[in-house]
């Protein structure tokens, strides 16, 4: 991959350190793993392994790219895929590579001319000049963390700012003071003036191919979106290493907290909560995480996201608070759950325990009090909590004191599947640091469990958001809320101060209106009867025996190259907030239920006649898009096939793609997942008229399958409603 001026200098030598596996080569070339194995056997000049094991070798990325380019197999590989492979195979690991890329993208975002001056030369020259260039941006934007980041890219601990002064700990600067650089871009000195001996390779040299690739990607989609893409791919590739806060939940929590000039997240992870805060003039965002890499990534992400002042630090906020003097308008937090080793023994006399010393089993209540201690008077804290924190006996004294003093304002139960762990309904606590006014006499309790989605689809976030914000705003205006049966009510504090101080919303809410429930059950029963009759009518006729047929076959990849269809992959949201079709929607044959983050890259929108195929999970599924589903954005882990109607019938295409044997031969298997290589799926070569005969039969099977699914959902609804009615006395047993 060429740099800005087309030169590579010492880059290819260093790029040998970046390794890629056979699976990565397959993604680069858009083929299956089997094709890579065939290339290794058939081509004597295929690059030799440079690492890995005998059963899972790794190869030098530069050699692989050169061989693929020479064979004409790299021409259609997206730039983002090549950049991702460089990051994933970085010799110092993907996290270090992500930090290096983030620093460079921030430089490109804020001082593109400095990047252009530094990158106009050999890779070694760029590696020597880049630390000085990065200091011009990192120091004024990230304060004390800049020194930590610069030490990782080869700069001395004491980094000079553009005006020659030394970087200081910016936490001492008063919030609201804008320290963004106002000096014009400065010239970058030649490599002879860079630090380090000319004979010593600069530390950043192995990262230069990645950084040049990231710069090219930024030129296409923007620096911010380039970083979001690389970060998202890293998180998707390592789902068990991180506990993420879904974007929809982060937005809801930020809206509950309200506008903020200063905001803090003391367990920031990858920065999703602070990124959801509405930007304001002279805003300051403070973040801390026990993992230094996550603190660095959050700082870079926030600096790319807005012009707010960013102060991030590494360390355990309970044991080593980085912002002890901070008084923020808002604190947002998704703390670690169920931690026993949170500092119970060494923090017994900490002044933050204003509402009581938390038990060893109540780490979440320690985080609640830490958040309150960092608020200004009247400030708001919103925390994601496990449901047990609302009712464990070991925490009842602290809960009682939070209620008595007016600090706890709301407990909101989320639907199952809102955030990890997805099998339990988590809670959101809204707290305010009490002012001198009298304590509020009522607390808002709310249960949004009715908005849970089906299967793995997650909740109906639009409905959750509307219901929660409407109830919260009405409650904050009046100090109380009229009962909303089965959903929300404000409860006098005195009612909750019993022996248990149980704050679980479901235990204090009135049940849904009985009449509405009985009418709804009758309607469900009627719809179920209609659906069962339709299912009977749609049952396929008896199968006629036929001798096995051996058709001449082609593959999806061959059809795409011949122009008989267009193949697209999903995952980008574009600028418009459109509903997204997820892999769960395709598997369950339901309406689009997902959302995608906004990006500068154009979203792939579905059209009638498209065929959508999930690539993860090992299922044999393909869905034809009809008028009701058209216009949705294509979600992640989905491939869209748009057939030429003069060459391919969409129902014929979808039907043959669902064959079990077809999927088996086109799938690759890993220890934890199965991935489908859509290009390897096979179709028989048949005339269009014959395709339509098969397509009509496949279409009829699809309608039968949908009727069965609908009957199953209605049956579950009816059974659950009858059990509830019989047990709460609203339905008679005879």
């Amino acid at each position: 991959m060429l740099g800005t001026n087309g030169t590579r200098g010492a880059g290819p030598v260093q790029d040998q350190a970046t390794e890629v596996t056979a699976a990565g080569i397959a993604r680069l070339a858009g083929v299956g793993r089997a094709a890579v194995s065939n290339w290794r056997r058939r081509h004597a000049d295929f690059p030799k392994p440079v690492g890995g094991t005998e059963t899972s070798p790794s190869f030098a990325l530069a050699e692989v790219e050169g061989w693929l380019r020479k064979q004409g197999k790299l021409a259609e590989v997206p730039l983002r895929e090549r950049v991702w492979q460089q990051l994933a195979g970085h010799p110092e690991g993907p996290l270090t590579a992500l930090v290096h890329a983030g620093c460079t993208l921030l430089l490109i975002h804020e001082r593109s001319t400095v990047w252009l001056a530094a990158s106009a030369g050999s890779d070694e020259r760029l590696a020597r000049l880049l630390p000085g260039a990065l200091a011009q941006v990192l120091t004024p934007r990230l304060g004390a963390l800049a020194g930590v980041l610069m030490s990782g890219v080869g700069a001395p601990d004491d980094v000079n700012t553009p005006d020659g002064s030394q970087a200081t700990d910016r936490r001492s600067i008063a919030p609201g003071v804008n320290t963004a650089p106002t000096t014009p871009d400065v010239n970058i000195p030649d490599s002879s003036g860079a630090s380090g001996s000319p004979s010593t390779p600069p530390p950043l040299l192995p990262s230069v191919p990645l950084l040049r690739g990231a710069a090219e990607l930024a030129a296409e989609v923007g620096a911010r979106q380039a970083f979001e893409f690389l970060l998202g791919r890293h998180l998707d590739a390592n789902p068990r290493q991180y506990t993420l806060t879904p974007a929809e939940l982060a937005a809801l929590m930020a809206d509950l907290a309200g506008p903020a000039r200063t905001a803090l997240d003391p367990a920031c992870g990858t920065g999703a909560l602070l990124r959801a805060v509405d930007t304001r003039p002279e805003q300051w965002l403070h973040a801390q995480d026990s993992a230094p890499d996550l603190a660095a990534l959050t700082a870079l992400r926030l600096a790319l996201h807005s012009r707010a002042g960013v102060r991030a630090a590494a360390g355990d906020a309970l044991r080593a608070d980085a912002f002890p003097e901070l008084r923020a308008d808002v604190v947002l937090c998704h703390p670690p759950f169920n931690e026993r080793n949170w500092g119970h023994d060494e923090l017994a006399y900490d002044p933050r325990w204003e509402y009581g010393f938390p038990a060893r089993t109540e780490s979440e209540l320690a985080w609640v009090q830490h958040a309150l201690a960092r608020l200004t008077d009247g400030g708001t804290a919103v925390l994601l909590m496990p449901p047990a924190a609302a009712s464990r006996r070991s925490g009842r004294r602290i809960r009682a004191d939070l209620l008595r003093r007016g600090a706890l304002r709301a407990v909101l139960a989320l639907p199952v599947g809102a955030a990890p762990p997805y099998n339990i309904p988590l809670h959101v606590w809204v707290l305010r640091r009490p002012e001198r006014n009298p304590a509020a006499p009522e607390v808002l309790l709310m249960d949004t469990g009715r908005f849970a989605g089906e299967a793995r689809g997650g909740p109906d976030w639009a409905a959750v958001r509307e219901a929660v914000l409407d109830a919260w705003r009405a409650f904050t205006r009046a100090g109380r809320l009229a009962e909303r049966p089965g959903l929300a009510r404000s409860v006098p504090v005195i009612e909750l101060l019993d022996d248990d101080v149980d704050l679980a919303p479901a235990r204090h809410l009135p049940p849904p209106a009985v009449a509405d429930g009985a009418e709804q059950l009758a309607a469900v029963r009627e719809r179920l009867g209609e659906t069962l009759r339709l299912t009977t009518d749609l049952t396929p006729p008896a199968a006629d025996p036929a001798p096995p047929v051996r058709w001449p076959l082609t593959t999806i990849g061959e059809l795409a190259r011949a122009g008989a269809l267009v193949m697209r992959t999903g995952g980008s949201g574009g600028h418009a907030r459109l509903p997204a079709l997820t892999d769960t929607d395709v598997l369950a044959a339901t309406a689009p239920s997902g959302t995608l983050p906004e990006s500068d890259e154009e979203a792939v929108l579905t059209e009638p006649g498209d065929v959508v195929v999930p690539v993860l999970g090992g299922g044999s599924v393909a869905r034809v898009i009809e008028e009701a589903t058209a216009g949705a954005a294509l979600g992640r882990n989905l491939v869209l096939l748009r057939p030429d109607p003069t060459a391919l019938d969409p129902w014929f295409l979808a039907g043959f793609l669902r064959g079990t044997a077809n999927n088996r031969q086109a799938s690759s298997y890993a220890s934890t997942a199965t991935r489908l290589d859509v290009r390897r799926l096979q179709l028989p070569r048949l005339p269009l008229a014959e395709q339509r005969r098969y397509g009509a039969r496949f279409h009829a099977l699809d309608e039968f399958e949908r009727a069965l699914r609908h009957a199953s959902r209605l049956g579950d609804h009816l059974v659950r409603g009858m059990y509830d009615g019989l047990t709460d006395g609203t339905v008679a047993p005879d």
Side-chain angles (χ1 to χ4, degrees), residues 565-586:
L565 57 81
V566 175
M567 192 164 92
R568 304 286 301 276
T569 57
S572 298
H575 293 287
R577 298 291 290 180
L578 296 172
L581 187 69
T582 68
D583 53 351
T584 302
D585 299 331
V586 175

Side-chain angles (χ1 to χ4, degrees), residues 172-231:
S172 60
I173 299 176
V177 179
N178 187 0
T179 62
T182 58
T183 57
D185 291 337
V186 298
N187 292 327
I188 301 297
D190 202 353
S191 57
S192 59
S195 61
S197 168
S199 61
T200 304
L204 270 180
L205 191 53
S207 296
V208 167
L210 164 66
L211 303 184
R212 289 194 187 275
E216 291 183 46
L217 187 58
E220 286 189 2
V221 302
R224 179 187 306 163
Q225 293 305 327
F227 185 72
E228 289 293 326
F229 163 72
L230 294 173
L231 176 62

Side-chain angles (χ1 to χ4, degrees), residues 369-383:
Q369 295 193 75
H370 173 78
L372 285 167
R374 293 296 158 263
L375 285 173
T376 187
D377 288 347
T380 302
V382 182
L383 285 85

Side-chain angles (χ1 to χ4, degrees), residues 270-453:
T270 59
L273 289 173
L274 289 177
R275 189 173 180 271
V277 174
D278 285 339
T279 56
R280 304 187 71 186
E282 298 185 341
Q283 188 175 53
W284 284 79
L285 304 176
H286 299 76
Q288 183 170 356
D289 198 274
S290 58
D293 289 326
L294 292 183
L297 292 176
T298 291
L300 292 168
R301 190 181 194 189
L302 295 176
L304 281 163
H305 179 65
S306 74
R307 291 299 305 167
V310 178
R311 294 297 172 260
D316 182 345
L318 294 182
R319 288 189 173 93
D321 184 10
F323 308 105
E325 306 303 320
L326 178 66
R327 294 298 177 265
D329 301 321
V330 161
V331 176
L332 298 170
C333 189
H334 178 173
F337 295 164
N338 303 318
E339 282 203 342
R340 296 281 180 134
N341 186 27
W342 58 267
H344 178 271
D345 295 335
E346 59 263 47
L347 298 175
Y349 300 103
D350 196 288
R352 288 173 291 183
W353 315 142
E354 189 177 346
Y355 300 88
F357 180 42
R360 189 182 303 275
T361 57
E362 294 289 352
S363 63
E364 297 86 7
L365 294 182
W367 285 102
V368 163
Q369 295 193 75
H370 173 78
L372 285 167
R374 293 296 158 263
L375 285 173
T376 187
D377 288 347
T380 302
V382 182
L383 285 85
L384 187 65
M385 301 283 281
S391 55
R392 280 190 298 239
R393 289 189 62 81
S394 55
R396 65 188 187 277
R397 292 184 180 177
I398 293 177
R399 293 195 299 271
D401 210 28
L402 290 170
L403 291 171
R404 288 192 193 98
R405 298 171 62 181
L408 183 59
R409 304 299 295 120
V411 177
L412 314 171
L414 297 170
V416 171
Y422 291 106
N423 60 332
I424 60 174
L426 300 178
H427 289 179
V428 171
W429 287 23
V430 185
L431 305 108
R432 285 211 175 129
R433 184 167 181 82
E435 299 180 272
R436 296 182 179 179
N437 300 332
E442 298 196 7
V443 175
L444 175 65
L445 300 181
M446 188 169 188
D447 187 348
T448 61
R450 65 172 67 174
F451 304 119

Side-chain angles (χ1 to χ4, degrees), residues 531-540 704 707:
T531 305
L532 289 174
R533 288 190 290 273
L534 176 62
T535 304
T536 302
D537 294 339
L538 293 174
T539 302
F704 175 61

